[in-house]
Structure formats: C-alpha cells, structure tokens
Amino acid sequence: MVKQTAGRDQLGDFAPKFAQLNDDVLFGEVWNREEKLSLRDRSLVTVVSLMAQGLVDSSFQYHGVSI
C-alpha cells in the first residue's frame, strides 16, 4: 500500500489535523478497503458522484480521468 501524503503536502501547515485525517483515515483506511469495493470501482463511483454534482475540475486527475 502506498502511503498517502497529499493532505500533509498541501494542507499540513494550515490544518495539520485535517491533513492527517485526510491521509491516514480517508485515503489510508477507507479508500484501501479493497475487500469492500475495488479501487477501480471506488474511483468510478467517486467520479460519477462528482460529475452528478456538476464538478468538473482538476480533482479528476487523481482518479485517472482527463476532462
């Protein structure tokens, strides 16, 4: 498993606890539960959910999507 550091890299100085929760809990524990849903399927659900909300920004690059 790859250790996620995007939260700490981007927000560590401004909001250290949020950055830690983002990296360790959301992307560490929750995102990597492949026994519940594969990473591919999890990304598909995330991208479709974001698009349904009308969001089409650079955040999609983290899911392997170019818009």
Side-chain angles (χ1 to χ4, degrees), residues 12-25:
D13 293 336
F14 175 71
K17 186 60 178 178
F18 177 78
Q20 181 256 325
L21 290 171
N22 179 76
D23 290 348
D24 298 342
V25 178

Side-chain angles (χ1 to χ4, degrees), residues 14-57:
F14 175 71
K17 186 60 178 178
F18 177 78
Q20 181 256 325
L21 290 171
N22 179 76
D23 290 348
D24 298 342
V25 178
L26 177 60
F27 288 101
E29 295 173 21
V30 176
W31 191 260
N32 286 307
R33 292 189 301 193
E34 289 194 52
E35 70 281 358
K36 303 289 183 186
L37 197 61
S38 72
L39 291 176
R40 175 191 167 276
D41 291 349
R42 195 176 308 274
S43 282
L44 284 171
V45 169
T46 300
V47 167
V48 169
S49 298
L50 292 171
M51 290 177 75
Q53 296 176 59
L55 302 174
V56 288
D57 59 20

